[in-house]
Coordinates of all heavy atoms in Angstrom, one line a residue:
M1 N -69.4 29.2 -60.1 CA -68.1 28.9 -59.5 C -68.3 28.1 -58.3 O -69.4 28.3 -57.6 CB -67.5 30.3 -59.1 CG -67.1 31.2 -60.2 SD -66.3 32.6 -59.6 CE -66.2 33.6 -61.0
C2 N -67.4 27.2 -58.0 CA -67.4 26.4 -56.8 C -66.1 26.6 -56.0 O -65.1 26.8 -56.6 CB -67.5 24.9 -57.2 SG -69.1 24.5 -58.0
F3 N -66.2 26.6 -54.8 CA -65.1 26.7 -53.9 C -65.1 25.8 -52.7 O -66.1 25.4 -52.2 CB -65.0 28.1 -53.3 CG -65.0 29.2 -54.4 CD1 -66.2 29.8 -54.8 CD2 -63.8 29.7 -54.9 CE1 -66.2 30.7 -55.8 CE2 -63.8 30.6 -55.9 CZ -65.0 31.1 -56.4
D4 N -63.9 25.3 -52.3 CA -63.8 24.4 -51.2 C -63.8 25.1 -49.9 O -64.2 24.5 -48.9 CB -62.6 23.5 -51.4 CG -62.6 22.5 -52.5 OD1 -63.9 22.1 -52.8 OD2 -61.6 22.1 -53.1
K5 N -63.3 26.4 -49.9 CA -63.2 27.1 -48.6 C -64.0 28.5 -48.8 O -63.8 29.1 -49.9 CB -61.7 27.3 -48.4 CG -61.0 26.1 -48.1 CD -59.6 26.3 -47.7 CE -58.9 24.9 -47.6 NZ -57.5 25.1 -47.3
E6 N -64.6 28.9 -47.8 CA -65.3 30.1 -47.8 C -64.4 31.3 -48.0 O -64.8 32.2 -48.9 CB -66.1 30.2 -46.5 CG -67.2 31.3 -46.6 CD -68.1 31.3 -45.4 OE1 -67.7 30.6 -44.4 OE2 -69.1 32.0 -45.5
P7 N -63.2 31.4 -47.5 CA -62.3 32.6 -47.7 C -62.0 32.7 -49.4 O -62.0 33.9 -49.8 CB -61.0 32.3 -46.9 CG -61.5 31.5 -45.9 CD -62.6 30.6 -46.4
D8 N -61.9 31.6 -50.0 CA -61.6 31.6 -51.4 C -62.8 32.2 -52.2 O -62.7 32.9 -53.1 CB -61.3 30.3 -51.9 CG -60.0 29.7 -51.4 OD1 -59.2 30.5 -50.9 OD2 -59.9 28.5 -51.3
M9 N -64.1 31.8 -51.7 CA -65.2 32.4 -52.3 C -65.4 33.9 -52.1 O -65.7 34.6 -53.1 CB -66.4 31.7 -51.7 CG -67.8 32.3 -52.3 SD -69.3 31.7 -51.4 CE -69.0 32.6 -49.7
L10 N -65.1 34.3 -50.9 CA -65.2 35.8 -50.6 C -64.2 36.6 -51.4 O -64.4 37.6 -52.0 CB -65.1 36.0 -49.2 CG -66.2 35.6 -48.3 CD1 -65.9 35.7 -46.8 CD2 -67.5 36.4 -48.6
K11 N -62.9 36.0 -51.5 CA -61.9 36.7 -52.3 C -62.3 36.8 -53.8 O -62.0 37.7 -54.5 CB -60.6 36.0 -52.1 CG -59.9 36.3 -50.7 CD -58.5 35.8 -50.7 CE -58.5 34.3 -50.1 NZ -57.3 33.7 -49.9
A12 N -62.9 35.7 -54.3 CA -63.4 35.7 -55.7 C -64.4 36.7 -56.0 O -64.5 37.3 -56.9 CB -63.8 34.3 -56.0
W13 N -65.3 36.9 -54.9 CA -66.4 37.8 -55.1 C -65.8 39.3 -55.2 O -66.1 40.1 -56.0 CB -67.3 37.8 -53.9 CG -68.5 38.8 -54.0 CD1 -69.6 38.8 -54.7 CD2 -68.5 40.0 -53.2 NE1 -70.3 39.9 -54.5 CE2 -69.6 40.7 -53.6 CE3 -67.6 40.7 -52.4 CZ2 -70.0 41.9 -53.1 CZ3 -67.9 41.9 -51.9 CH2 -69.2 42.5 -52.2
R14 N -64.8 39.6 -54.3 CA -64.1 40.8 -54.3 C -63.4 41.0 -55.6 O -63.5 42.1 -56.2 CB -63.1 41.0 -53.1 CG -62.4 42.3 -53.1 CD -61.0 42.3 -52.5 NE -60.2 41.1 -53.0 CZ -59.3 40.6 -52.3 NH1 -59.1 41.0 -50.9 NH2 -58.5 39.6 -52.7
D15 N -62.7 40.0 -56.2 CA -62.0 40.1 -57.4 C -62.9 40.3 -58.5 O -62.7 41.0 -59.4 CB -61.1 39.0 -57.6 CG -60.0 38.8 -56.6 OD1 -59.6 39.8 -55.9 OD2 -59.4 37.7 -56.4
F16 N -64.2 39.8 -58.4 CA -65.2 40.0 -59.5 C -65.7 41.4 -59.5 O -65.8 42.0 -60.5 CB -66.3 39.0 -59.2 CG -67.5 39.1 -60.1 CD1 -67.4 38.8 -61.4 CD2 -68.8 39.7 -59.6 CE1 -68.5 38.9 -62.2 CE2 -69.8 39.9 -60.5 CZ -69.7 39.5 -61.8
I17 N -65.8 42.0 -58.3 CA -66.2 43.4 -58.3 C -65.1 44.2 -58.9 O -65.5 45.2 -59.6 CB -66.4 43.8 -56.8 CG1 -67.7 43.1 -56.2 CG2 -66.7 45.4 -56.7 CD1 -69.0 43.5 -56.8
L18 N -63.8 44.0 -58.5 CA -62.7 44.8 -59.1 C -62.6 44.6 -60.6 O -62.4 45.6 -61.3 CB -61.5 44.4 -58.4 CG -61.4 44.8 -56.9 CD1 -60.1 44.2 -56.3 CD2 -61.5 46.4 -56.7
E19 N -62.9 43.4 -61.1 CA -62.8 43.1 -62.5 C -63.9 43.8 -63.3 O -63.7 44.3 -64.3 CB -62.8 41.6 -62.8 CG -62.6 41.2 -64.2 CD -62.7 39.7 -64.5 OE1 -62.3 39.0 -63.5 OE2 -63.3 39.3 -65.5
L20 N -65.1 43.6 -62.7 CA -66.3 44.2 -63.4 C -66.3 45.8 -63.3 O -66.7 46.4 -64.3 CB -67.5 43.8 -62.7 CG -68.8 43.6 -63.5 CD1 -68.5 42.6 -64.6 CD2 -69.9 43.2 -62.6
D21 N -65.7 46.3 -62.2 CA -65.5 47.7 -62.0 C -66.8 48.5 -62.2 O -66.8 49.5 -62.9 CB -64.4 48.2 -62.9 CG -63.9 49.5 -62.4 OD1 -64.0 49.9 -61.2 OD2 -63.4 50.4 -63.3
P22 N -67.9 48.2 -61.5 CA -69.2 48.9 -61.5 C -69.1 50.3 -60.9 O -68.4 50.5 -59.9 CB -70.2 48.0 -60.9 CG -69.4 47.3 -59.8 CD -67.9 47.1 -60.4
D23 N -69.9 51.2 -61.5 CA -70.1 52.5 -60.9 C -71.1 52.4 -59.7 O -71.1 53.2 -58.8 CB -70.5 53.5 -61.9 CG -69.3 53.8 -62.9 OD1 -68.2 53.7 -62.6 OD2 -69.6 54.0 -64.1
I24 N -72.1 51.6 -59.9 CA -73.2 51.4 -59.0 C -73.3 50.0 -58.5 O -73.2 49.0 -59.3 CB -74.5 51.8 -59.7 CG1 -74.4 53.3 -60.1 CG2 -75.7 51.6 -58.7 CD1 -75.7 53.6 -60.9
I25 N -73.5 49.8 -57.2 CA -73.7 48.5 -56.6 C -75.2 48.6 -56.0 O -75.5 49.5 -55.3 CB -72.7 48.1 -55.5 CG1 -71.3 48.1 -56.1 CG2 -73.1 46.8 -54.8 CD1 -70.2 47.8 -55.0
T26 N -76.0 47.6 -56.4 CA -77.4 47.8 -56.0 C -77.9 46.4 -55.4 O -77.3 45.4 -55.8 CB -78.4 48.2 -57.2 OG1 -79.6 48.4 -56.6 CG2 -78.4 47.2 -58.3
G27 N -78.9 46.5 -54.6 CA -79.4 45.3 -54.0 C -80.5 45.7 -53.0 O -80.9 46.8 -52.9
Y28 N -81.0 44.6 -52.3 CA -82.0 44.9 -51.4 C -81.5 44.8 -50.0 O -81.1 43.8 -49.6 CB -83.1 43.9 -51.6 CG -84.4 44.2 -50.8 CD1 -85.3 45.1 -51.3 CD2 -84.7 43.5 -49.6 CE1 -86.5 45.4 -50.5 CE2 -85.8 43.8 -48.9 CZ -86.7 44.7 -49.4 OH -87.8 45.0 -48.6
N29 N -81.5 45.9 -49.3 CA -81.0 46.1 -47.9 C -79.4 45.8 -48.0 O -78.9 45.3 -47.0 CB -81.6 45.1 -47.0 CG -81.6 45.6 -45.5 OD1 -81.3 46.7 -45.2 ND2 -81.8 44.8 -44.6
I30 N -78.7 46.2 -49.0 CA -77.3 46.0 -49.0 C -76.6 47.0 -48.1 O -75.5 46.7 -47.5 CB -76.6 46.1 -50.4 CG1 -77.0 47.5 -51.0 CG2 -77.2 45.0 -51.3 CD1 -76.2 47.7 -52.3
C31 N -77.1 48.2 -48.0 CA -76.4 49.3 -47.2 C -76.5 49.0 -45.7 O -75.5 49.3 -45.0 CB -77.0 50.6 -47.5 SG -76.7 51.2 -49.1
N32 N -77.5 48.5 -45.2 CA -77.6 48.3 -43.7 C -77.4 46.8 -43.3 O -77.3 46.5 -42.0 CB -79.0 48.6 -43.3 CG -78.9 49.5 -42.1 OD1 -77.8 49.9 -41.6 ND2 -80.1 49.9 -41.5
F33 N -77.2 45.8 -44.2 CA -77.0 44.5 -43.9 C -75.9 43.8 -44.7 O -74.8 43.4 -44.2 CB -78.2 43.7 -43.9 CG -78.0 42.2 -43.5 CD1 -77.8 41.9 -42.2 CD2 -78.0 41.2 -44.4 CE1 -77.5 40.6 -41.7 CE2 -77.7 40.0 -44.1 CZ -77.5 39.6 -42.7
D34 N -76.1 43.6 -45.9 CA -75.3 42.6 -46.8 C -73.9 43.1 -46.8 O -73.0 42.2 -46.6 CB -75.8 42.6 -48.2 CG -77.2 42.0 -48.3 OD1 -77.5 41.1 -47.4 OD2 -77.9 42.2 -49.4
L35 N -73.5 44.3 -47.2 CA -72.1 44.7 -47.3 C -71.5 44.7 -46.0 O -70.3 44.2 -45.8 CB -72.1 46.1 -48.0 CG -72.4 46.2 -49.4 CD1 -72.4 47.7 -49.9 CD2 -71.5 45.3 -50.3
T36 N -72.1 45.1 -44.9 CA -71.6 45.1 -43.6 C -71.3 43.7 -43.2 O -70.3 43.3 -42.6 CB -72.6 45.8 -42.5 OG1 -72.8 47.1 -43.0 CG2 -71.9 45.8 -41.2
Y37 N -72.2 42.8 -43.3 CA -72.1 41.3 -43.0 C -70.9 40.8 -43.8 O -70.0 40.1 -43.1 CB -73.4 40.6 -43.3 CG -73.4 39.2 -43.0 CD1 -73.7 38.7 -41.6 CD2 -72.9 38.1 -43.9 CE1 -73.6 37.4 -41.3 CE2 -72.9 36.9 -43.5 CZ -73.2 36.4 -42.2 OH -73.1 35.1 -41.9
I38 N -70.8 40.9 -45.1 CA -69.7 40.4 -45.8 C -68.3 40.8 -45.3 O -67.4 40.1 -45.2 CB -69.9 40.7 -47.3 CG1 -71.1 40.0 -47.9 CG2 -68.6 40.2 -48.1 CD1 -71.5 40.3 -49.3
I39 N -68.3 42.2 -45.1 CA -67.0 42.7 -44.6 C -66.6 42.2 -43.2 O -65.5 41.8 -43.0 CB -67.0 44.2 -44.6 CG1 -67.1 44.8 -46.0 CG2 -65.8 44.9 -43.9 CD1 -67.3 46.2 -46.2
E40 N -67.6 42.2 -42.3 CA -67.3 41.7 -41.0 C -67.0 40.2 -40.9 O -66.2 39.7 -40.2 CB -68.5 42.0 -40.0 CG -68.6 43.4 -39.7 CD -69.8 43.9 -38.9 OE1 -70.8 42.9 -38.8 OE2 -69.9 45.0 -38.5
W41 N -67.6 39.4 -41.9 CA -67.4 38.0 -41.9 C -66.0 37.7 -42.4 O -65.2 36.8 -41.9 CB -68.4 37.3 -42.7 CG -68.4 35.8 -42.6 CD1 -68.1 34.9 -43.7 CD2 -68.5 34.9 -41.5 NE1 -68.0 33.6 -43.3 CE2 -68.2 33.6 -42.0 CE3 -68.6 35.1 -40.1 CZ2 -68.2 32.6 -41.1 CZ3 -68.7 34.1 -39.3 CH2 -68.5 32.8 -39.7
A42 N -65.6 38.5 -43.5 CA -64.3 38.3 -44.0 C -63.1 38.7 -43.0 O -62.1 38.0 -42.9 CB -64.1 39.2 -45.3
D43 N -63.5 39.7 -42.1 CA -62.6 40.0 -41.0 C -62.5 38.9 -40.0 O -61.4 38.5 -39.5 CB -63.1 41.3 -40.4 CG -62.1 41.8 -39.4 OD1 -60.9 41.8 -39.7 OD2 -62.5 42.1 -38.2
A44 N -63.6 38.2 -39.7 CA -63.7 37.1 -38.8 C -62.9 35.9 -39.3 O -62.4 35.1 -38.6 CB -65.1 36.7 -38.4
L45 N -62.8 35.8 -40.7 CA -62.1 34.7 -41.3 C -60.7 35.1 -41.5 O -59.9 34.2 -42.2 CB -62.8 34.3 -42.6 CG -64.2 33.6 -42.5 CD1 -64.8 33.5 -43.9 CD2 -64.1 32.3 -41.7
W46 N -60.2 36.2 -41.1 CA -58.9 36.6 -41.2 C -58.4 36.7 -42.7 O -57.3 36.3 -43.1 CB -57.9 35.7 -40.4 CG -58.2 35.7 -39.0 CD1 -58.9 34.9 -38.3 CD2 -57.6 36.6 -38.0 NE1 -59.0 35.3 -36.9 CE2 -58.2 36.3 -36.7 CE3 -56.7 37.7 -38.1 CZ2 -57.8 37.0 -35.6 CZ3 -56.4 38.4 -36.9 CH2 -57.0 38.0 -35.7
I47 N -59.2 37.3 -43.5 CA -58.9 37.5 -44.9 C -58.3 38.9 -45.1 O -58.9 39.9 -45.0 CB -60.1 37.4 -45.9 CG1 -60.8 36.0 -45.8 CG2 -59.7 37.6 -47.4 CD1 -62.1 35.9 -46.4
P48 N -56.9 38.9 -45.3 CA -56.2 40.3 -45.3 C -56.7 41.0 -46.4 O -56.9 40.4 -47.6 CB -54.8 39.9 -45.4 CG -54.8 38.5 -45.9 CD -56.0 37.8 -45.5
D49 N -56.8 42.3 -46.3 CA -57.1 43.3 -47.5 C -58.4 43.0 -48.1 O -58.5 43.3 -49.3 CB -55.9 43.4 -48.4 CG -54.7 43.8 -47.7 OD1 -54.7 44.6 -46.7 OD2 -53.6 43.5 -48.3
F50 N -59.3 42.3 -47.4 CA -60.6 42.0 -48.1 C -61.4 43.1 -48.6 O -61.8 43.2 -49.8 CB -61.5 41.0 -47.2 CG -62.8 40.8 -47.9 CD1 -62.9 39.8 -49.0 CD2 -63.9 41.5 -47.6 CE1 -64.2 39.6 -49.6 CE2 -65.1 41.3 -48.2 CZ -65.2 40.4 -49.2
P51 N -61.6 44.1 -47.7 CA -62.6 45.2 -48.1 C -61.9 46.2 -49.1 O -62.2 47.4 -49.1 CB -62.9 45.9 -46.8 CG -61.8 45.7 -45.9 CD -61.3 44.3 -46.3
E52 N -61.1 45.8 -49.9 CA -60.3 46.6 -50.9 C -61.1 46.6 -52.2 O -60.6 46.0 -53.2 CB -58.9 46.1 -50.9 CG -58.0 47.1 -51.8 CD -56.6 46.5 -51.9 OE1 -56.0 46.2 -50.9 OE2 -56.1 46.4 -53.1
F53 N -62.3 47.0 -52.3 CA -63.1 46.9 -53.5 C -63.7 48.2 -54.0 O -64.7 48.3 -54.6 CB -64.2 45.8 -53.5 CG -65.0 45.7 -52.2 CD1 -66.1 46.5 -52.1 CD2 -64.7 44.7 -51.3 CE1 -66.9 46.5 -50.9 CE2 -65.4 44.7 -50.2 CZ -66.5 45.5 -49.9
S54 N -62.9 49.3 -53.6 CA -63.3 50.7 -54.2 C -62.6 50.9 -55.5 O -61.8 50.1 -55.9 CB -62.8 51.7 -53.1 OG -61.5 51.8 -53.1
K55 N -63.0 51.9 -56.1 CA -62.4 52.3 -57.4 C -61.0 52.8 -57.2 O -60.2 52.9 -58.2 CB -63.3 53.3 -58.2 CG -64.4 52.7 -58.9 CD -65.0 53.6 -59.8 CE -66.0 53.0 -60.6 NZ -65.5 52.4 -61.9
V56 N -60.7 53.3 -55.9 CA -59.5 53.9 -55.7 C -58.5 52.8 -55.2 O -58.8 52.0 -54.3 CB -59.6 54.9 -54.5 CG1 -58.2 55.5 -54.2 CG2 -60.5 56.0 -55.0
K57 N -57.4 52.6 -55.9 CA -56.6 51.5 -55.6 C -55.9 51.5 -54.1 O -55.7 52.6 -53.7 CB -55.2 51.6 -56.5 CG -55.6 51.5 -58.0 CD -55.9 50.0 -58.3 CE -56.1 50.0 -59.9 NZ -57.0 49.0 -60.3
K58 N -55.9 50.4 -53.5 CA -55.5 50.3 -52.1 C -56.3 51.0 -51.0 O -55.8 51.2 -49.9 CB -54.0 50.7 -51.9 CG -53.1 49.9 -52.9 CD -53.0 48.4 -52.5 CE -52.1 47.6 -53.4 NZ -52.3 46.2 -53.3
K59 N -57.5 51.4 -51.4 CA -58.3 52.1 -50.4 C -59.4 51.1 -49.9 O -60.2 50.5 -50.6 CB -59.1 53.3 -51.1 CG -59.9 54.1 -50.2 CD -59.1 55.0 -49.5 CE -60.0 56.0 -48.7 NZ -59.2 56.9 -48.0
M60 N -59.4 50.9 -48.6 CA -60.2 50.0 -47.9 C -61.6 50.5 -47.6 O -61.6 51.8 -47.3 CB -59.6 49.6 -46.5 CG -58.2 48.8 -46.7 SD -58.4 47.2 -47.3 CE -56.8 46.6 -47.4
S61 N -62.5 49.8 -47.8 CA -64.0 50.1 -47.6 C -64.0 50.1 -46.0 O -63.6 49.2 -45.3 CB -64.9 49.3 -48.2 OG -64.8 49.4 -49.6
K62 N -64.8 51.0 -45.4 CA -64.9 51.2 -44.0 C -66.4 51.1 -43.6 O -67.3 51.6 -44.4 CB -64.3 52.4 -43.5 CG -62.8 52.5 -43.9 CD -62.1 53.2 -42.8 CE -60.6 53.5 -43.1 NZ -59.8 52.6 -43.5
I63 N -66.6 50.5 -42.4 CA -68.0 50.6 -41.9 C -68.1 51.6 -40.7 O -67.3 51.7 -39.8 CB -68.3 49.1 -41.3 CG1 -68.3 48.0 -42.3 CG2 -69.7 49.2 -40.6 CD1 -68.3 46.6 -41.7
K64 N -69.0 52.5 -40.9 CA -69.4 53.5 -39.8 C -70.7 53.2 -39.3 O -71.7 52.9 -40.0 CB -69.5 54.9 -40.5 CG -68.2 55.4 -41.1 CD -68.3 56.7 -41.6 CE -67.2 57.1 -42.5 NZ -67.4 58.5 -43.2
S65 N -70.7 53.3 -37.9 CA -72.0 53.1 -37.3 C -72.6 54.4 -37.0 O -72.0 55.4 -36.4 CB -71.8 52.2 -36.0 OG -71.5 51.1 -36.3
N66 N -73.9 54.6 -37.2 CA -74.6 55.8 -36.9 C -75.8 55.6 -36.1 O -76.5 54.5 -36.3 CB -75.0 56.5 -38.2 CG -73.8 56.9 -39.1 OD1 -72.9 57.3 -38.6 ND2 -74.1 56.8 -40.5
T67 N -76.3 56.5 -35.3 CA -77.4 56.3 -34.6 C -78.4 57.5 -34.8 O -77.9 58.7 -34.7 CB -77.2 56.2 -33.0 OG1 -76.4 55.1 -32.7 CG2 -78.5 56.1 -32.2
F68 N -79.6 57.3 -35.2 CA -80.5 58.4 -35.5 C -81.7 58.3 -34.5 O -82.2 57.2 -34.1 CB -81.1 58.3 -36.9 CG -82.3 59.2 -37.2 CD1 -81.9 60.5 -37.5 CD2 -83.6 58.8 -37.1 CE1 -83.0 61.5 -37.8 CE2 -84.5 59.7 -37.4 CZ -84.2 61.1 -37.8
S69 N -82.1 59.4 -33.9 CA -83.1 59.4 -32.8 C -84.1 60.6 -33.0 O -83.7 61.7 -33.3 CB -82.5 59.5 -31.5 OG -83.5 59.4 -30.5
S70 N -85.4 60.2 -33.1 CA -86.4 61.3 -33.1 C -87.7 60.8 -32.4 O -87.8 59.6 -32.1 CB -86.8 61.6 -34.6 OG -87.6 60.6 -35.1
K71 N -88.5 61.7 -31.9 CA -89.7 61.3 -31.2 C -90.7 60.5 -32.1 O -91.3 59.5 -31.7 CB -90.4 62.6 -30.6 CG -89.7 63.2 -29.5 CD -90.5 64.3 -29.0 CE -89.9 64.9 -27.9 NZ -90.6 66.0 -27.2
A72 N -90.7 60.8 -33.4 CA -91.6 60.1 -34.3 C -91.1 58.7 -34.7 O -91.8 57.7 -34.7 CB -91.7 60.9 -35.6
L73 N -89.8 58.6 -34.9 CA -89.2 57.2 -35.3 C -88.5 56.4 -34.2 O -88.2 55.3 -34.4 CB -88.3 57.4 -36.5 CG -88.9 58.0 -37.7 CD1 -87.9 58.3 -38.8 CD2 -90.0 57.1 -38.3
G74 N -88.2 57.0 -33.1 CA -87.6 56.4 -32.1 C -86.0 56.3 -32.4 O -85.5 57.2 -33.2
T75 N -85.4 55.5 -31.8 CA -83.8 55.3 -32.0 C -83.6 54.2 -33.1 O -84.1 53.2 -32.9 CB -83.1 55.0 -30.7 OG1 -83.4 56.1 -29.8 CG2 -81.6 54.9 -30.9
R76 N -82.8 54.6 -34.1 CA -82.3 53.6 -35.1 C -80.8 53.5 -35.3 O -80.2 54.6 -35.3 CB -83.0 53.9 -36.4 CG -84.5 54.1 -36.4 CD -85.1 54.3 -37.7 NE -85.9 53.2 -38.0 CZ -86.6 53.0 -39.1 NH1 -86.3 53.8 -40.2 NH2 -87.5 52.2 -39.3
D77 N -80.3 52.4 -35.2 CA -78.9 52.1 -35.5 C -78.7 51.8 -36.9 O -79.4 50.8 -37.5 CB -78.4 51.1 -34.6 CG -78.3 51.4 -33.1 OD1 -78.1 52.6 -32.8 OD2 -78.5 50.6 -32.3
N78 N -77.8 52.6 -37.7 CA -77.5 52.3 -39.0 C -76.1 52.1 -39.2 O -75.3 52.5 -38.5 CB -77.9 53.4 -39.9 CG -79.4 53.6 -39.9 OD1 -80.3 52.7 -40.0 ND2 -79.9 54.9 -39.8
K79 N -75.7 51.3 -40.2 CA -74.3 51.1 -40.6 C -74.1 51.5 -42.0 O -75.0 51.2 -42.8 CB -74.0 49.6 -40.4 CG -73.9 49.2 -38.9 CD -73.2 47.9 -38.7 CE -73.3 47.6 -37.3 NZ -72.5 46.4 -36.9
E80 N -73.1 52.3 -42.2 CA -72.9 52.8 -43.5 C -71.5 52.3 -44.0 O -70.5 52.4 -43.3 CB -72.9 54.4 -43.5 CG -72.4 55.0 -44.8 CD -72.3 56.5 -44.5 OE1 -73.0 57.1 -43.6 OE2 -71.5 57.1 -45.1
V81 N -71.4 51.7 -45.2 CA -70.2 51.2 -45.7 C -69.7 52.3 -46.8 O -70.4 52.6 -47.7 CB -70.4 49.9 -46.4 CG1 -69.1 49.4 -47.0 CG2 -70.9 48.8 -45.3
T82 N -68.5 52.7 -46.6 CA -68.0 53.7 -47.6 C -67.2 52.9 -48.7 O -66.2 52.2 -48.3 CB -66.9 54.7 -46.8 OG1 -67.7 55.3 -45.8 CG2 -66.4 55.7 -47.8
I83 N -67.6 53.1 -49.9 CA -66.9 52.4 -50.9 C -66.5 53.5 -52.0 O -67.4 54.0 -52.7 CB -67.7 51.3 -51.7 CG1 -68.1 50.2 -50.6 CG2 -66.9 50.7 -52.8 CD1 -69.1 49.2 -51.3
E84 N -65.3 54.0 -51.9 CA -64.8 55.2 -52.7 C -65.1 54.9 -54.2 O -64.6 53.9 -54.7 CB -63.3 55.4 -52.4 CG -63.0 55.7 -51.0 CD -63.5 57.1 -50.6 OE1 -63.6 58.0 -51.5 OE2 -63.7 57.3 -49.4
G85 N -65.8 55.8 -54.8 CA -65.9 55.8 -56.3 C -67.1 54.9 -56.7 O -67.3 54.8 -57.9
R86 N -67.8 54.2 -55.8 CA -68.9 53.4 -56.2 C -70.2 53.9 -55.4 O -70.1 54.1 -54.2 CB -68.7 51.9 -55.9 CG -67.6 51.4 -56.6 CD -67.4 49.9 -56.6 NE -66.1 49.4 -56.7 CZ -65.6 49.3 -57.9 NH1 -66.2 49.6 -59.1 NH2 -64.3 48.8 -58.1
I87 N -71.3 54.0 -56.2 CA -72.6 54.4 -55.5 C -73.3 53.2 -55.1 O -73.4 52.3 -55.9 CB -73.4 55.3 -56.6 CG1 -72.7 56.5 -57.0 CG2 -74.9 55.5 -56.0 CD1 -73.4 57.2 -58.2
Q88 N -73.7 53.2 -53.9 CA -74.6 52.1 -53.3 C -76.1 52.5 -53.5 O -76.4 53.6 -52.8 CB -74.1 51.8 -52.0 CG -72.7 51.4 -51.7 CD -72.4 51.5 -50.4 OE1 -72.9 50.8 -49.5 NE2 -71.3 52.3 -50.1
F89 N -76.8 51.8 -54.1 CA -78.2 52.1 -54.3 C -79.0 51.0 -53.8 O -79.1 49.9 -54.3 CB -78.6 52.2 -55.9 CG -80.0 52.7 -56.1 CD1 -80.3 54.0 -55.7 CD2 -80.9 51.9 -56.6 CE1 -81.6 54.4 -56.0 CE2 -82.2 52.2 -56.7 CZ -82.6 53.5 -56.5
D90 N -79.6 51.2 -52.6 CA -80.3 50.3 -51.9 C -81.7 50.3 -52.2 O -82.4 51.3 -52.0 CB -80.1 50.4 -50.3 CG -80.5 49.2 -49.5 OD1 -81.5 48.6 -49.9 OD2 -79.9 49.0 -48.5
M91 N -82.4 49.2 -52.7 CA -83.7 49.1 -53.1 C -84.7 49.1 -51.8 O -85.9 49.3 -52.0 CB -84.0 47.9 -54.0 CG -83.2 47.8 -55.3 SD -83.5 49.3 -56.3 CE -85.1 48.9 -56.8
Y92 N -84.2 48.8 -50.7 CA -85.0 48.8 -49.5 C -85.4 50.1 -49.1 O -86.4 50.6 -48.6 CB -84.2 48.0 -48.3 CG -85.0 47.8 -47.0 CD1 -86.1 47.0 -47.1 CD2 -84.6 48.4 -45.9 CE1 -86.8 46.8 -45.9 CE2 -85.3 48.2 -44.8 CZ -86.4 47.4 -44.8 OH -87.1 47.2 -43.6

């Protein structure tokens, strides 16, 4: 697929997810980077209703920031994307 404008590409990706309707979304570091980046970039490009790619109709995916701290691992900031009805399996 080719697109002249980036918002059109992102909307087509979202529509592809909705059309394919997968139960599992997998990738390498998708949970802590890719999905968060795509959703935030679509927001920066003012694409309305972009993160609407859950299995539940009209349910927006949301980004939650979490901080984990321990003496052994130190402090780590994580971002979690909630996609209702789809399992995210991160290979990282």
Side-chain angles (χ1 to χ4, degrees):
M1 295 182 189
C2 295
F3 302 93
D4 292 329
K5 297 180 182 176
E6 196 170 13
D8 295 335
M9 178 193 65
L10 290 171
K11 286 187 270 186
W13 179 81
R14 180 207 48 213
D15 294 344
F16 176 71
I17 295 291
L18 293 174
E19 180 183 330
L20 210 60
D21 197 25
D23 293 325
I24 299 171
I25 298 175
T26 187
Y28 189 80
N29 203 21
I30 62 167
C31 292
N32 226 4
F33 179 75
D34 294 338
L35 292 173
T36 303
Y37 181 85
I38 290 169
I39 291 170
E40 288 175 348
W41 188 243
D43 187 47
L45 293 174
W46 297 89
I47 302 172
D49 300 332
F50 174 79
E52 188 181 303
F53 42 84
S54 71
K55 281 192 172 269
V56 179
K57 301 281 188 216
K58 302 295 179 187
K59 184 76 173 179
M60 298 291 181
S61 297
K62 302 209 184 309
I63 301 171
K64 294 180 193 174
S65 295
N66 299 323
T67 302
F68 175 77
S69 183
S70 74
K71 287 185 178 182
L73 298 173
T75 302
R76 301 182 125 189
D77 293 325
N78 293 317
K79 293 192 178 188
E80 176 186 330
V81 178
T82 304
I83 303 175
E84 298 288 332
R86 301 191 200 282
I87 297 169
Q88 299 166 60
F89 187 73
D90 196 324
M91 299 300 288
Y92 184 64

